[in-house]
Amino acid sequence: MSINKVKGTYDVLPSESYLWQALEQKIRDILGVYNIKEMRTPIMEYSDVFHRNSELSDMVTKETYDFDDRGDRRLTLRPEGTAGIIRSYVENKLYASQELEKVYYIGPNFRYERPQKGRYRQFYQFGVEAIGTINPALDAEMIILAYDFIKRLGLKGVRVRINSLGDETSRANYQEALKNYFMPHKDELCDDCQIRIDKNPLRILDCKIDQNHHAVKNAPTPQDYLSVESRAYFKEVLEHLNAAKISYEIAPKLVRGLDYYSHTVFEIEADIEGFGAQNVLGGGGRYQKLVSELGGPDLGGIGFAFGMERLLLALEAENVDFAKEKDLDAYVIVFTDELKKVATSMLYELRLANLVADTNYTGKAFKGQLKQALRNHAKYLIILGEDEYQKGMVAVKNTETEQQEEVLISKVKKYLVEKLEK
Ligand code: HAM
């Protein structure tokens, strides 16, 4: 029996959760500015949502958690957010009421990958999808949003890398060209890539084993096979980015790891100490076939997702002071059992006034209670001593100025509310 956490998972401890909450709050704040609403879909879906015939990426073919439930339904823990969102978009016919549906999501995903720093088997993504329309300005908006988000988090050394895979025809031509190009090198490639040549040559470009092979390094790029229309579309996306003064770099070899992309693809990278290959914080792109593959009309979409653990690691590595744990407003120090009841009623009253207040239940001596109060950064100590209590008073001490005053018990709440407002 194993009573450890599952390999590739982690716990968020009470001392760390404020970082997650702050990150989520930042996400919700910025998405509000962009007028994008949240969507929540289940963590488990029928396997067909992810295991579509066209999807031959490693992520879907090798890394999903698939299982049969007790009713023999084949289910999958979602490895990413997009497919589930599109499943719901189609099932709820959201296209019928809105020409363009823009949504965001935050939640856990599951991939059976080799765990390392910044890579887990259960990880959180924050993602955005804009579904229903194809327009270069919309592609640019998604990139601007991703860029803006990272900037607002306070991360520096961030790069937007962008490329175009072109429309279906461009993509098909490129695939054919890649196939012909790799054929003479077939025997030198890994077993998986030998199969990929016929089925899905694009995936050879992001093969972890063959990435340094000279043939992979010198392979033709999608840019060489863009149709006139696709080239014009991409140019317009870039012009929108220029108009908004977003800095980006064109990455001719960027194809992304999932198969549903066409036209614009992009990634957000950051130079972060000790990150190595996990320096990709997020990525996304346009998908024109996914909606129809999942049973919907012939509509396209574009979106992106960030790995939230990577964002937090990056913020830590860069020493970005983006979140603060909420300090205690008041800590009640109490000695005798009788006075503990006074403390109970006082705490309740303070909390009703929305003051962050706490006390000690372990019967520590004064020094121990004080230590605990200071560890929680309490702004005020309320010291319930026998002598003061006889007079209906308590001692209230400001921990910063060390000033102490005697305050009527009945006036403590008012006193603290006024002091804390200043
Ligand atoms: P993805 O590139 O597979 O794209 O994942 C997006 C981000 O999720 C990555 O850049 C990374 O930060 C994070 N991530 C991926 N796998 C792991 C892992 N095992 N551990 C920790 N973080 C990870 C997608 O998932 C697409 N659905 C993005 C998208 C949305 N495209 C269009 N719309």
Side-chain angles (χ1 to χ4, degrees):
M1 190 176 78
S2 173
I3 47 165
N4 299 323
K5 61 178 180 284
V6 171
K7 185 174 176 187
T9 68
Y10 59 87
D11 302 309
V12 177
L13 300 178
S15 57
E16 303 158 341
S17 53
Y18 76 100
L19 294 166
W20 282 87
Q21 289 169 349
L23 180 58
E24 286 177 18
Q25 195 54 50
K26 290 250 178 207
I27 292 169
R28 295 185 195 288
D29 289 347
I30 186 169
L31 271 297
V33 171
Y34 280 73
N35 188 31
I36 299 181
K37 299 199 172 63
E38 187 181 3
M39 187 157 172
R40 299 187 188 197
T41 60
I43 287 167
M44 54 185 176
E45 296 277 357
Y46 287 114
S47 290
D48 293 343
V49 170
F50 306 106
H51 294 284
R52 301 176 308 276
N53 286 338
S54 69
E55 186 60 73
L56 297 168
S57 66
D58 276 7
M59 189 201 82
V60 169
T61 55
K62 292 186 183 163
E63 295 171 0
T64 52
Y65 282 86
D66 303 313
F67 60 98
D68 295 326
D69 76 1
R70 289 169 196 271
D72 283 334
R73 297 170 193 90
R74 192 73 182 150
L75 304 181
T76 295
L77 298 183
R78 66 179 178 208
E80 57 115 27
T82 313
I85 292 284
I86 302 300
R87 191 271 310 143
S88 174
Y89 171 83
V90 171
E91 191 167 347
N92 292 293
K93 297 194 172 51
L94 299 185
Y95 49 83
S97 52
Q98 290 269 24
E99 272 179 20
L100 174 64
E101 189 70 67
K102 291 197 262 188
V103 298
Y104 79 92
Y105 48 92
I106 299 174
N109 298 276
F110 305 83
R111 296 185 192 177
Y112 194 80
E113 290 191 272
R114 195 165 58 79
Q116 52 188 284
K117 190 172 184 182
R119 191 193 282 166
Y120 310 91
R121 290 185 174 169
Q122 173 174 339
F123 62 97
Y124 270 72
Q125 273 187 352
F126 140 57
V128 179
E129 309 296 342
I131 320 154
T133 307
I134 174 161
N135 189 308
L138 181 60
D139 295 31
E141 182 180 81
M142 287 297 118
I143 296 166
I144 292 168
L145 166 53
Y147 176 87
D148 186 8
F149 169 66
I150 287 292
K151 283 266 161 188
R152 285 187 199 221
L153 277 185
L155 284 173
K156 300 203 176 66
V158 174
R159 280 186 305 277
V160 178
R161 301 175 68 241
I162 175 170
N163 197 16
S164 173
L165 303 177
D167 54 21
E168 285 306 306
T169 319
S170 314
R171 206 174 183 279
N173 288 342
Y174 177 53
Q175 281 205 316
E176 191 57 30
L178 270 187
K179 199 174 187 170
N180 295 334
Y181 169 82
F182 278 122
M183 250 338 162
H185 303 282
K186 190 168 180 176
D187 296 344
E188 305 153 29
L189 298 173
C190 75
D191 292 351
D192 282 344
C193 282
Q194 298 195 6
I195 299 167
R196 287 175 183 135
I197 289 189
D198 285 319
K199 286 174 86 177
N200 196 3
L202 239 78
R203 291 280 69 83
I204 299 175
L205 299 178
D206 47 34
C207 172
K208 285 165 192 136
I209 300 168
D210 288 330
Q211 61 186 354
N212 290 321
H213 190 286
H214 65 91
V216 176
K217 283 187 161 170
N218 298 316
T221 68
Q223 295 267 314
D224 307 329
Y225 294 86
L226 292 185
S227 65
V228 175
E229 297 80 22
S230 300
R231 199 172 293 281
Y233 187 94
F234 188 45
K235 188 164 166 264
E236 225 176 301
V237 174
L238 300 180
E239 281 169 8
H240 279 279
L241 295 178
N242 294 339
K245 300 194 172 61
I246 302 292
S247 53
Y248 59 83
E249 90 194 30
I250 295 175
K253 288 211 157 83
L254 180 68
V255 294
R256 305 263 311 130
L258 287 141
D259 283 329
Y260 50 57
Y261 294 115
S262 57
H263 282 290
T264 315
V265 287
F266 61 100
E267 279 183 352
I268 313 281
E269 273 186 9
D271 285 326
I272 289 153
E273 207 38 43
F275 256 48
Q278 311 314 321
N279 66 349
V280 181
L281 300 176
R286 176 162 282 287
Y287 42 87
Q288 292 302 103
K289 288 271 169 258
L290 194 52
V291 180
S292 57
E293 271 181 23
L294 288 166
D298 186 18
L299 294 171
I302 178 162
F304 64 82
F306 281 102
M308 290 174 63
E309 295 80 4
R310 287 191 198 176
L311 291 173
L312 288 173
L313 283 168
L315 287 162
E316 189 191 348
E318 296 280 284
N319 286 319
V320 181
D321 201 10
F322 85 107
K324 208 172 167 322
E325 216 166 350
K326 198 150 175 44
D327 290 339
L328 276 185
D329 292 321
Y331 189 94
V332 179
I333 294 182
V334 60
F335 303 104
T336 66
D337 281 343
E338 198 182 326
L339 288 182
K340 278 189 177 146
K341 292 184 190 105
V342 180
T344 299
S345 99
M346 187 181 289
L347 269 173
Y348 181 49
E349 207 187 336
L350 295 178
R351 287 165 176 168
L352 284 179
N354 288 328
L355 299 189
V356 186
D358 211 345
T359 190
N360 167 270
Y361 293 104
T362 53
K364 282 194 169 92
F366 179 81
K367 223 171 137 190
Q369 296 193 41
L370 181 65
K371 222 165 139 186
Q372 201 171 343
L374 295 180
R375 200 182 299 136
N376 281 287
H377 307 288
K379 294 182 191 118
Y380 285 89
L381 303 177
I382 299 173
I383 306 160
L384 259 169
E386 193 64 52
D387 294 348
E388 290 90 346
Y389 179 65
Q390 295 306 329
K391 296 183 276 172
M393 312 281 277
V394 283
V396 181
K397 182 169 181 173
N398 180 318
T399 54
E400 199 183 300
T401 63
E402 305 231 321
Q403 264 179 357
Q404 184 165 320
E405 286 187 71
E406 285 206 349
V407 181
L408 272 173
I409 290 181
S410 58
K411 295 269 189 297
V412 169
K413 183 183 84 182
K414 189 164 175 283
Y415 175 88
L416 283 178
V417 167
E418 281 171 9
K419 288 280 183 191
L420 288 161
E421 263 171 11
K422 275 185 196 152

